[in-house]
Amino acid sequence: MKILMKGNEAICDAAIKAGCRAFFGYPITPQNEIPEYMAAKLADSGGVFVQAESEVAAINMVYGAAAAGVRVMTSSSSPGIALKQEGVSYLVGADLPCVIVSVSRSGPGLGGILPAQSDYFQATRGGGNGDYYLPVYAPFSIQEAMNLVVKAFDVADEYRTPVMVLLDGMLGQMMEPCMLPEIKASNYDNSWAANGNSGKRPRNTITSLNLKGEGLEAMNIRRFKTYDTIKEKEIMVDNRVQDGDEVAIVAYGTPARIALNAIEMLKEQGIKAGLVRPVTLWPFPYDTFQNLTSSVKRVVVCELSMGQMIDDVKIGLAGKLPVSFYGRTGGMIFEPEEVAAYVKSCI
Amino acid sequence: MSKVVYEKSRGLTDNPLSYCPGCAHGIIHKIVADTLTSLDVLERTIAIAPVGCSVMAYEFYNCDGIQAGHGRAPAVATGVKRTNPDKIVFTYQGDGDLAAIGAAEIVHAAHRGENITVIFVNNAIYGMTGGQMAPTTLIDMKTSTSPKGRAEAGTGKPLLVSEMLAQIPSVAYIERVSIHDVPNINKTKKAVKKAFQNQIDGKGFSMVEILSTCPIGWNKTPSASLKFIETNMVPYFPLGVFADSPAKEVAE
């Protein structure tokens, strides 16, 4: 049965159903419903909720719970995610799984609390030190957010990596009818965890420290081989471009829905356009852009930023087609009419 | 028949210690390791190592271990203990780690009354990075970042961590001890044991601050360093119990 749920709360229900046993967070708008909901619901289902003293502490609590082999989640928003980057780098370095929900607002600095997508680089390139990436999922509906949160836990455990689910503030705040996804029994291995069972097995240690150059290089190369597998198996893209479309509009998250409306408007004006919606922002669906149907003559990237994902689109296209950009920033959200008018002006 | 009067603790691995000759970390490791074995909790203990000289402590304690970011050990310990309340979790932190970069994490682990044990090794200096000034560096003490000696103007007086944390309503036990001679080593053993027994009994946040040496950073011989604790450290950092609460409600 479908129920009407707010994005931030739906995420929590999905996480709990996926087996999340612990949540550590810190208040920041526009994601406060997540820790609030977890404070009530997770504790009721026998899990652990702690409101940390800072985002830095919260992500390090996540590190501790993950090191002890527990399914764990945190959430935050742009300046808070910035503070968490130290811990994210340590989680990667120690090969620890966790789910990080980022409900992005506008920046830089304290910026504003209105929705934005100016943290694409923050999500996909990170700010922590070292050679690393993490899978980033960008849902465009609350149902998809729920499904991807469940998937994020599985991917985190399978590849022993932090996974981010990136929402713009709109998706976190709006309500939609949705259903709790079916959960398949996940049998993930956590025999590596440092949870004090050393009487039954050799002792386990969790660390990102490796003072020998050869050792650290080997660890990094091994991690990038895992990244190759993730790129091979986990890329998700919603490509709605059809033969005959002359423009491909690229957008992710809520702006993809605005783009769909714009595409309908363009159709009425005799302009054929189709949507490419990357669902994984890392790994990015580069191949999709090499394999766009031959009728496409131009690519238009629409983001709620000054242009960040456009860099990945350009890498994917490798000069094959002209690329234009339409964006609003600072929390301003484009209307379908604006997008349609811009696309029209490009042709 | 010969009788064993001294042996290596079962609580320590065979890995060679990474500490400088004459450093007192070895003494403190042995005390903690012996305590874990005598309380019979080694198999269910998780050691949280800091950043600092004891960054590789997880290699030395013969139990599960986690290396934490600089200053973050109390937050990491919170994550482990809350999800594994039946396990024994301790952090082992130096004064740079605990009193400077990790000040927020230690204050709030104490504030929440986390049922963990904190071994705080205070040798008044950043050892691993080459002897820089710490919040606990004594006035007039020369370090690589206070080359003329620490001056109160601009750097303040040494931070009295135990006294500060003892003000927090939710702490269970805080004691400052020293390892500068045998009677004090014996007092340290008692304090460490109590700090772990408190955790077993669910009493909450327990910390032992242990005054220790850094012969290399202090530019002193090991024996002169021990003497320096007695003559210079103890007068400023008084030994004793600063908090010792009866059993209380503990977060699980």
Side-chain angles (χ1 to χ4, degrees), chain B residues 23-196:
Chain B
C23 169
H25 267 307
I27 297 170
I28 301 168
H29 275 31
K30 163 96 168 135
I31 291 170
V32 173
D34 279 345
T35 304
L36 294 173
T37 51
S38 72
L39 292 173
D40 198 24
V41 294
L42 187 65
E43 278 73 26
R44 60 181 174 112
T45 296
I46 300 105
I48 318 289
V51 170
C53 295
S54 49
V55 66
M56 286 166 72
Y58 61 88
E59 292 287 347
F60 310 137
Y61 288 110
N62 195 14
C63 58
D64 281 2
I66 300 171
Q67 202 292 311
H70 200 11
R72 317 301 180 217
V76 173
T78 299
V80 178
K81 183 71 181 185
R82 290 294 189 103
T83 54
N84 291 269
D86 56 333
K87 302 295 164 62
I88 300 302
V89 182
F90 77 95
T91 71
Y92 189 99
Q93 303 177 257
D95 41 273
D97 191 79
L98 183 144
I101 195 166
E105 283 78 7
I106 195 67
V107 164
H108 286 277
H111 163 60
R112 290 188 301 269
E114 295 295 339
N115 190 26
I116 59 170
T117 303
V118 175
I119 305 297
F120 169 36
V121 180
N122 177 5
N123 63 359
I125 204 163
Y126 282 77
M128 190 180 69
T129 44
Q132 292 84 6
M133 186 182 76
T136 47
T137 296
L138 295 172
I139 295 292
D140 294 334
M141 206 168 166
K142 285 183 181 172
T143 70
S144 60
T145 50
S146 58
K148 292 179 179 169
R150 178 177 187 171
E152 185 184 342
T155 64
K157 289 182 184 173
L159 198 60
L160 295 162
V161 174
S162 286
E163 288 84 340
M164 178 179 78
L165 295 181
Q167 303 306 311
I168 296 173
S170 291
V171 301
Y173 169 59
I174 293 184
E175 180 166 0
R176 184 185 288 121
V177 292
S178 170
I179 45 74
H180 68 269
D181 57 21
V182 172
N184 277 289
I185 286 175
N186 287 333
K187 282 182 189 166
T188 301
K189 286 179 183 172
K190 272 189 190 162
V192 168
K193 190 164 188 175
K194 179 166 178 165
F196 278 101

Side-chain angles (χ1 to χ4, degrees), chain B residues 22-25 27-28 121-124 138 141 176-181 184-185 188 209-215 218 220-239:
Chain B
C23 169
H25 267 307
I27 297 170
I28 301 168
V121 180
N122 177 5
N123 63 359
L138 295 172
M141 206 168 166
R176 184 185 288 121
V177 292
S178 170
I179 45 74
H180 68 269
D181 57 21
N184 277 289
I185 286 175
T188 301
E209 175 178 348
I210 304 173
L211 299 183
S212 186
T213 61
C214 181
W218 291 359
K220 287 180 168 48
T221 64
S223 56
S225 298
L226 292 171
K227 192 76 192 158
F228 184 80
I229 294 183
E230 188 183 359
T231 56
N232 295 61
M233 296 272 280
V234 172
Y236 186 83
F237 297 108
L239 306 182

Side-chain angles (χ1 to χ4, degrees), chain A residues 135 137 150-161 163 234:
Chain A
Y137 291 97
V150 173
K151 188 171 184 61
F153 277 102
D154 287 337
V155 166
D157 280 325
E158 183 172 351
Y159 301 101
R160 287 184 63 180
T161 178
V163 175
E234 306 296 345

Side-chain angles (χ1 to χ4, degrees), chain A residues 21-22 24 48-54 56-58 60-70 86 90 193-211, chain B residues 13 15 42-46 51 55-70 72 74-80 82-84 87 101 104-106 108-109 112 114 252:
Chain A
R21 304 305 301 143
F24 304 96
V48 169
F49 169 86
V50 177
Q51 179 172 325
E53 62 271 28
S54 66
V56 175
N60 280 284
M61 291 172 189
V62 167
Y63 177 93
V70 172
E86 170 198 286
Y90 275 76
N195 54 5
N197 289 320
S198 51
K200 298 172 201 157
R201 51 155 173 76
R203 66 194 194 91
N204 283 337
T205 55
I206 302 291
T207 183
S208 61
L209 180 69
N210 202 323
L211 293 170
Chain B
T13 64
N15 294 326
L42 187 65
E43 278 73 26
R44 60 181 174 112
T45 296
I46 300 105
V51 170
V55 66
M56 286 166 72
Y58 61 88
E59 292 287 347
F60 310 137
Y61 288 110
N62 195 14
C63 58
D64 281 2
I66 300 171
Q67 202 292 311
H70 200 11
R72 317 301 180 217
V76 173
T78 299
V80 178
R82 290 294 189 103
T83 54
N84 291 269
K87 302 295 164 62
I101 195 166
E105 283 78 7
I106 195 67
H108 286 277
R112 290 188 301 269
E114 295 295 339
E252 291 223 344

Side-chain angles (χ1 to χ4, degrees), chain A:
Chain A
M1 193 186 72
K2 285 194 173 181
I3 43 171
L4 189 65
M5 289 200 80
K6 198 172 197 177
N8 282 339
E9 297 180 348
I11 284 168
C12 298
D13 274 346
I16 293 169
K17 191 155 186 212
C20 176
R21 304 305 301 143
F23 180 93
F24 304 96
Y26 184 83
I28 181 171
T29 308
Q31 60 84 58
N32 291 318
E33 295 84 357
I34 300 178
E36 285 166 3
Y37 200 76
M38 283 305 209
K41 285 289 175 92
L42 190 56
D44 284 351
S45 63
V48 169
F49 169 86
V50 177
Q51 179 172 325
E53 62 271 28
S54 66
E55 285 92 349
V56 175
I59 195 72
N60 280 284
M61 291 172 189
V62 167
Y63 177 93
V70 172
R71 278 198 159 179
V72 56
M73 185 168 104
T74 186
S75 66
S76 193
S77 179
S78 308
I81 295 288
L83 284 169
K84 285 188 198 289
Q85 300 286 12
E86 170 198 286
V88 172
S89 172
Y90 275 76
L91 283 153
V92 171
D95 298 310
L96 295 177
C98 72
V99 173
I100 301 156
V101 176
S102 170
V103 186
S104 69
R105 55 190 254 181
S106 45
L110 200 50
I113 59 169
L114 295 170
Q117 293 184 311
S118 41
D119 294 321
Y120 180 91
F121 288 152
Q122 185 190 53
T124 61
R125 303 301 191 269
N129 59 303
D131 270 329
Y132 77 88
Y133 292 95
L134 56 157
V136 180
Y137 291 97
F140 86 143
S141 70
I142 294 177
Q143 184 65 61
E144 191 181 36
M146 291 180 103
N147 298 347
L148 290 176
V149 163
V150 173
K151 188 171 184 61
F153 277 102
D154 287 337
V155 166
D157 280 325
E158 183 172 351
Y159 301 101
R160 287 184 63 180
T161 178
V163 175
M164 181 177 282
V165 179
L166 177 67
L167 295 84
D168 50 77
M170 259 180 299
L171 210 50
Q173 293 297 325
M174 71 188 190
M175 294 180 89
E176 279 186 326
C178 48
M179 270 173 81
L180 263 180
E182 286 302 311
I183 307 288
K184 57 173 196 281
S186 48
N187 216 353
Y188 61 94
D189 167 47
N190 66 356
S191 58
W192 46 264
N195 54 5
N197 289 320
S198 51
K200 298 172 201 157
R201 51 155 173 76
R203 66 194 194 91
N204 283 337
T205 55
I206 302 291
T207 183
S208 61
L209 180 69
N210 202 323
L211 293 170
K212 293 187 174 127
E214 310 89 314
L216 188 52
E217 184 182 52
M219 270 173 69
N220 286 338
I221 290 172
R222 194 252 311 136
R223 191 167 297 117
F224 271 67
K225 281 188 178 151
T226 303
Y227 291 160
D228 286 343
T229 311
I230 295 173
K231 286 177 187 171
E232 200 180 297
K233 292 187 174 171
E234 306 296 345
I235 288 176
M236 290 173 71
V237 58
D238 177 9
N239 181 2
R240 305 188 186 194
V241 177
Q242 295 174 346
D243 264 341
D245 287 345
E246 48 191 314
V247 179
I249 300 180
V250 191
Y252 69 98
T254 322
R257 297 163 71 138
I258 301 169
L260 283 174
N261 287 343
I263 286 167
E264 284 304 307
M265 290 175 178
L266 288 164
K267 198 173 162 188
E268 286 163 18
Q269 298 168 45
I271 298 166
K272 288 184 173 176
L275 175 73
V276 179
R277 181 174 69 89
V279 177
T280 50
L281 303 183
W282 192 90
F284 193 78
Y286 292 118
D287 287 352
T288 302
F289 296 91
Q290 274 302 307
N291 301 325
L292 281 174
T293 185
S294 60
S295 60
V296 173
K297 302 297 177 219
R298 172 168 292 277
V299 173
V300 178
V301 180
C302 296
E303 298 177 65
L304 297 181
S305 74
M306 294 301 286
Q308 299 195 3
M309 179 180 66
I310 188 172
D311 287 8
D312 276 330
V313 173
K314 284 179 179 171
I315 291 171
L317 284 167
K320 199 176 166 188
L321 290 169
V323 187
S324 314
F325 176 77
Y326 189 74
R328 295 294 298 271
T329 178
M332 298 304 290
I333 299 163
F334 39 63
E335 299 286 337
E337 292 80 2
E338 285 177 72
V339 175
Y342 179 76
V343 171
K344 209 171 167 186
S345 76
C346 293
I347 305 170

